[in-house]
Amino acid sequence: MGIQKLLLCLTVIAWCVVNVNGKYRPEECEACVNFIKTFDETLSADARKSMDSIKTELIDFCENTKVKEYERICYYIGGLKTSATAILNEITRPLTFNKPAEKICEVLDKKDSQICEVKIKKKINLAEVDLKKLRVKQLKEILSDWNRSDACKGCAEKSDFISIVEELMPKYDQAAYKLRQQKLEKEHTLCRNMTAVNTVKEIYDYR
């Protein structure tokens, strides 16, 4: 009898764990929620009036997005020519009556759990990061995000990748480049001031 009770308890615990772990959480489906919200913001009032017009806009959005996470979601929902399945109606229909993105993704998660498995890659803050401390893989990812993986095909050393990233940064991340330049100028100014102070001190000590 004791063994039966133990097995029953273990069964209940296992059931609880499965249900808790399997529960939809919007914060764990961030890429999907961001995708829906971003697309929703592109829709005009006229486009929102019918599912067909929203579908046309959604397919166009998927074909032109440069965000890798969005490309994967587009593949899963049927927004790309290479998609194996199509569940676009689960997005187009609710958007006609402004259903929240979190709720739309909950339905999508039930249709295909791979959608919520798409995670947003943490972006490197190029304005602050020390490029020398990054791994080669991370430097390659920066070039890939700029669609310039071809820029360093012959690179053999980490220093080569750093040089290419620094060379291309003004074009592909101008804001980060400007902040880095301002920081560099402040450091140079500080060094010049320190040098001046030390020079004055040396002269004073000499006298």
Side-chain angles (χ1 to χ4, degrees):
M1 189 69 178
I3 294 176
Q4 289 179 335
K5 285 184 178 181
L6 178 61
L7 290 173
L8 179 61
C9 287
L10 291 173
T11 301
V12 171
I13 291 172
W15 181 86
C16 290
V17 169
V18 169
N19 277 272
V20 169
N21 290 339
K23 187 178 179 181
Y24 167 78
R25 297 182 181 86
E27 63 273 15
E28 294 181 1
C29 202
E30 187 181 5
C32 175
V33 172
N34 286 355
F35 170 79
I36 298 296
K37 287 182 176 180
T38 302
F39 169 64
D40 189 29
E41 290 174 358
T42 68
L43 291 174
S44 65
D46 289 336
R48 199 182 296 276
K49 290 179 181 178
S50 73
M51 288 175 58
D52 287 339
S53 58
I54 294 177
K55 181 179 179 180
T56 299
E57 294 292 329
L58 181 54
I59 291 174
D60 183 65
F61 179 84
C62 283
E63 288 179 347
N64 291 288
T65 185
K66 301 298 182 183
V67 181
K68 290 185 177 181
E69 292 86 354
Y70 292 176
E71 287 177 352
R72 287 183 59 194
I73 292 173
C74 284
Y75 175 78
Y76 293 138
I77 64 175
L80 300 176
K81 293 177 181 179
T82 55
S83 297
T85 57
I87 51 175
L88 294 176
N89 288 348
E90 301 298 342
I91 297 175
T92 58
R93 185 184 298 108
L95 283 180
T96 59
F97 53 86
N98 299 312
K99 188 173 183 177
E102 292 80 2
K103 293 295 183 182
I104 294 175
C105 289
E106 182 175 7
V107 174
L108 293 176
D109 181 50
K110 292 176 181 177
K111 295 287 184 179
D112 188 343
S113 61
Q114 293 180 100
I115 293 173
C116 280
E117 289 174 4
V118 177
K119 302 300 179 185
I120 296 176
K121 183 177 66 177
K122 187 176 180 181
K123 288 193 174 182
I124 297 169
N125 185 356
L126 289 176
E128 298 290 339
V129 72
D130 183 349
L131 295 176
K132 293 178 182 178
K133 292 183 178 180
L134 295 180
R135 301 190 301 274
V136 171
K137 180 182 178 182
Q138 292 173 301
L139 293 167
K140 286 182 177 180
E141 286 176 354
I142 292 171
L143 294 175
S144 177
D145 289 341
W146 293 342
N147 290 322
R148 288 305 311 272
S149 298
D150 61 324
C152 212
K153 281 187 176 180
C155 296
E157 302 293 333
K158 180 178 176 179
S159 57
D160 297 332
F161 286 96
I162 292 174
S163 296
I164 294 296
V165 169
E166 289 177 333
E167 180 185 330
L168 296 177
M169 195 183 299
K171 180 178 180 180
Y172 293 98
D173 198 335
Q174 197 173 78
Y177 174 75
K178 287 182 178 179
L179 288 172
R180 291 178 72 89
Q181 291 302 108
Q182 290 171 6
K183 184 179 179 182
L184 193 61
E185 182 58 35
K186 286 180 180 179
E187 289 175 353
H188 286 168
T189 301
L190 181 61
C191 286
R192 286 194 295 267
N193 291 340
M194 290 296 292
T195 301
V197 170
N198 289 334
T199 301
V200 171
K201 185 176 182 299
E202 288 173 3
I203 294 173
Y204 179 81
D205 290 342
Y206 178 77
R207 287 179 180 178

